[in-house]
């Protein structure tokens, strides 16, 4: 979802001839790779991330499953079977073991656990319990997200996050889920990227894209409301993210309290999509943009959160009126004129990690970071680079709990369907067979050594 936004924004921007504003890299100006070996703290969590709707398949009671059927259609593909991880989770664990992960972030699906309002499925809870137990047996710490984009269909029919009751509905589900399966969880994440729609909408480059996208989403949501005979049908892709934000904030705070009431010892936080806004020129107001894009959430996490989940994929340069600042660093296998790719800078993660720590003083957990590419050589290069930069933040004293690479396997990338590839392993779309990519071996070596050289 987010990638599509940014890529379309980027295209619009390039078409508008604003390339200079993005900063073009000088050909051949490759960043000199740091040669020294950097060691990570003892007990560092090395993991990978996924989300239920993106890998499990057949999340039939969810709001998105329904949205994937309405006309006008906003998804490039329906999610369908995805990677069939609902049945093939043992194969996923085998992949994790082959890479040597000691943690795994995934989401439990609200639509499975509470398919009808107030009716909780013990069988589905047991499914997740079996999975969590198997992870523990494999020496892998379960990092559990309670809500990752998809909600139950009944929740959307009741107005989704625009419904004033939504924080209580969510907290009630978290309380139930925690009581039934919370004992073996290692880390809890309440809501995934509750501000992603806000962040992308405040980017000056996004205006034209969202004018069109919001029109499409409004029509699709109206069609879903009509088809279900409701006044409204509201999913996370609904354009009124401003209207949803107060409820999302209250939902996080209430869920945090509910989870901690069951297990006070469980590290619990929210995971945020943090674009690294930087200046393209002197005098750029990129710091104001950071505040507008996610500042409100950084206040919330100060009140409710044991850590902040940082999820960074890109660096966006914001024009100012003064002298031009240094361009993006060149990257191997990337055409420096290809701005959609150049923004995937490995320094972006370090910058947001440092910023969020400065702003909040909370421990940081990199709950997502990765690279969308069909060329795995780029991922082989990217992983050690991004980790060396992350280590710079750790060396400066930022407490970082771990790094979860997005993603374990290629999966359903929301509105953009199955085309984007983020995985350390590919998945055959007919047989569901998982195959490790060469980048998985690069990651494995880092994990084994707890160091990057
Ligand atoms: C989301 C994931 C998504 C990833 C790559 C994050 O914003 O949490 O669900 O697949 O980015 O676009």
């Amino acid at each position: 979802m987010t990638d599509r936004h940014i890529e379309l924004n980027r295209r619009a921007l390039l078409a508008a001839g604003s390339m200079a504003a993005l900063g073009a890299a000088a050909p051949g100006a490759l960043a000199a790779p740091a040669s020294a070996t950097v060691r990570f703290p003892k007990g560092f969590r090395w993991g990978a991330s996924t989300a239920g709707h993106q890998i499990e398949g057949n999340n039939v009671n969810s709001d998105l499953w329904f949205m994937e059927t309405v006309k006008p259609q906003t998804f490039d593909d329906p999610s369908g079977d995805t990677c069939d991880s609902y049945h093939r989770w043992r194969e996923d664990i085998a992949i994790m073991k082959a890479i040597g992960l000691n943690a795994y972030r995934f989401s439990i699906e609200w639509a499975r656990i509470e398919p009808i309002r107030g009716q909780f499925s013990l069988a589905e809870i047991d499914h997740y319990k079996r999975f969590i137990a198997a992870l523990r047996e494999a020496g892998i710490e379960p990092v559990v997200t309670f809500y990752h984009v998809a909600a139950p269909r009944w929740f959307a029919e009741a107005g989704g996050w625009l419904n004033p009751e939504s924080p209580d509905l969510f907290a009630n589900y978290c309380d139930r889920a925690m009581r039934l399966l919370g004992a073996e969880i290692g880390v809890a994440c309440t809501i995934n990227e509750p501000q992603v729609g806000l962040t992308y909408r405040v980017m000056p480059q996004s205006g034209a894209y969202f004018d069109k996208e919001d029109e499409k989403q409004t029509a699709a949501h109206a069609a879903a409301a009509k088809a279900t005979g409701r006044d409204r049908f509201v999913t996370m892709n609904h354009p009124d993210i401003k209207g949803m934000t107060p409820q999302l904030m209250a939902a996080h705070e209430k869920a945090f309290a509910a989870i901690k009431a069951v297990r006070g010892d469980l590290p619990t936080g929210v995971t945020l999509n943090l674009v690294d806004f930087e200046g393209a020129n002197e005098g750029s107001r990129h710091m104001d943009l950071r505040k507008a894009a996610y500042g409100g959430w950084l206040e919330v996490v100060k009140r409710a959160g044991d850590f902040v989940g940082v999820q960074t994929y890109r660096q966006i340069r914001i024009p100012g009126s003064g002298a031009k600042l240094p361009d993006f660093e060149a990257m191997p296998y990337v055409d420096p004129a290809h701005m959609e790719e150049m923004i995937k800078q490995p320094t972006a993660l370090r910058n947001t990690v440092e910023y969020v720590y400065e702003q909040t003083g909370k421990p940081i957990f990199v709950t997502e970071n990765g690279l969308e590419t069909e060329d795995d050589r780029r991922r082989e290069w990217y992983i050690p680079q991004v980790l060396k930069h992350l280590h710079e933040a750790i060396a400066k004293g930022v407490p970082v709990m771990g790094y979860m690479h997005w993603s374990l396997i290629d999966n359903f990338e929301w509105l953009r369907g199955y085309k984007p590839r983020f995985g350390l392993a590919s998945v055959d779309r007919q047989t569901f067979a998982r195959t490790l990519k060469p980048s998985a071996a690069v990651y494995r070596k880092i994990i084994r050594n707890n160091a990057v050289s």
Side-chain angles (χ1 to χ4, degrees):
M1 175 173 60
T2 53
D3 264 326
R4 180 195 220 187
H5 292 163
I6 193 71
E7 268 161 30
L8 295 179
N9 296 339
R10 203 117 305 255
R11 248 170 248 148
L13 199 65
L14 293 179
S18 314
M19 181 138 156
L22 299 168
L30 266 189
S35 50
T37 299
V38 296
R39 289 201 177 282
F40 283 79
K42 207 164 164 257
F44 195 74
R45 291 174 176 85
W46 293 109
S49 248
T50 60
H53 194 79
Q54 293 181 271
I55 65 163
E56 286 179 349
N58 300 297
N59 192 14
V60 297
N61 292 313
S62 69
D63 55 352
L64 298 189
W65 181 269
F66 189 69
M67 285 300 289
E68 291 163 21
T69 67
V70 302
K71 293 212 165 48
Q73 190 41 246
T74 48
F75 288 84
D76 288 351
D77 300 308
S79 55
D81 290 326
T82 61
C83 309
D84 193 26
S85 287
Y86 186 78
H87 299 106
R88 292 166 198 267
W89 51 268
R90 289 176 193 83
E91 292 164 50
D92 291 344
I93 293 180
I95 291 277
M96 294 172 215
K97 282 171 80 171
I99 305 173
L101 305 185
N102 62 25
Y104 176 58
R105 173 171 174 255
F106 63 99
S107 71
I108 53 172
E109 283 303 301
W110 186 3
R112 291 190 194 276
I113 293 176
E114 192 181 1
I116 293 171
R117 184 172 171 166
Q119 187 176 307
F120 290 82
S121 165
L122 295 178
E124 295 289 1
I125 292 272
D126 276 351
H127 165 80
Y128 288 118
K129 266 176 141 167
R130 279 193 292 275
F131 180 54
I132 288 170
L135 284 173
R136 284 289 186 196
E137 213 178 294
I140 299 167
E141 183 179 46
V143 177
V144 174
T145 309
F146 283 70
Y147 171 81
H148 196 125
V149 188
R153 176 172 153 175
W154 63 260
F155 181 77
E157 288 176 357
W161 296 111
L162 291 176
N163 177 357
E165 279 184 299
S166 55
D168 288 320
L169 293 170
F170 180 62
N172 184 48
Y173 145 71
C174 291
D175 167 66
R176 261 318 169 94
M178 259 315 282
R179 281 175 202 286
L180 295 167
L181 55 73
E184 294 300 321
I185 291 178
V187 179
C189 308
T190 55
I191 302 180
N192 184 68
E193 300 188 348
Q195 40 55 262
V196 63
L198 206 67
T199 298
Y200 282 95
R201 278 178 181 81
V202 304
M203 274 169 49
Q205 292 96 335
S206 314
Y209 168 72
F210 278 111
D211 285 351
K212 269 203 186 148
E213 181 63 17
D214 286 355
E215 214 174 282
K216 271 171 55 186
Q217 289 292 351
T218 303
H221 283 84
K226 193 163 170 220
T228 52
R230 307 287 163 149
D231 296 343
R232 54 186 179 173
F233 192 97
V234 179
T235 75
M236 259 309 229
N237 294 328
H238 190 282
D240 190 7
I241 183 66
K242 276 209 169 125
M244 293 188 227
T245 296
Q247 287 73 251
L248 283 162
M249 287 178 167
H252 163 68
E253 292 203 45
K254 289 189 172 198
F256 177 78
I259 292 168
K260 300 293 281 187
V262 179
R263 265 192 57 197
D265 65 312
L266 181 65
T268 303
V270 68
T271 64
L272 302 177
N273 183 299
L274 297 158
V275 174
D276 177 26
F277 292 113
E278 298 289 340
N281 308 76
E282 301 277 1
S284 156
R285 301 180 67 88
H286 62 284
M287 292 310 242
D288 294 350
L289 203 68
R290 289 185 188 189
K291 280 226 148 51
Y294 37 73
W297 275 97
L298 298 184
E299 292 306 313
V300 171
V301 303
K302 281 193 224 169
R303 293 197 296 273
D306 298 321
F307 64 88
V308 187
V310 169
Q311 312 195 154
T312 298
Y313 291 87
R314 4 185 122 70
Q315 187 174 93
I316 300 292
R317 300 286 175 96
I318 304 301
S321 47
K324 193 156 171 8
L325 293 166
D327 290 329
F328 284 135
E329 297 275 10
M331 295 184 282
Y333 318 115
V334 181
D335 174 356
H338 197 171
M339 282 303 137
E340 288 172 20
E341 299 303 324
M342 291 300 288
I343 61 173
K344 300 172 183 173
Q345 291 282 324
T347 49
L349 179 65
R350 173 201 62 200
N351 297 344
T352 54
V353 161
E354 289 180 1
Y355 177 76
V356 173
Y357 182 61
E358 269 162 35
Q359 297 293 311
T360 65
K362 296 275 176 175
I364 303 296
F365 192 2
V366 180
T367 39
E368 281 184 34
N369 168 260
L371 186 67
E372 177 197 338
T373 182
E374 301 231 359
D375 181 351
D376 193 56
R377 292 173 310 169
R378 285 187 56 195
R379 197 171 287 105
E380 288 182 73
W381 175 82
Y382 179 85
I383 292 174
Q385 287 299 315
V386 79
L387 289 171
K388 280 191 177 179
H389 290 299
L390 177 64
H391 190 272
E392 287 165 17
I394 296 173
K396 281 185 204 159
V398 179
V400 180
M401 293 163 57
Y403 174 85
M404 307 286 111
H405 190 80
W406 185 275
S407 182
L408 181 69
I409 47 181
D410 289 337
N411 59 49
F412 176 70
E413 179 59 21
W414 309 116
L415 297 175
R416 295 174 65 219
Y418 285 102
K419 197 154 179 289
R421 302 272 195 268
F422 279 93
L424 293 163
S426 59
V427 179
D428 185 296
R429 304 264 344 113
Q430 304 304 315
T431 65
F432 305 105
R434 279 88 164 127
T435 308
L436 287 171
K437 299 179 188 176
S439 55
V442 170
Y443 194 31
R444 179 175 54 213
K445 189 171 162 216
I446 292 170
I447 296 172
R448 203 175 274 163
N449 297 336
N450 201 36
V452 192
S453 36

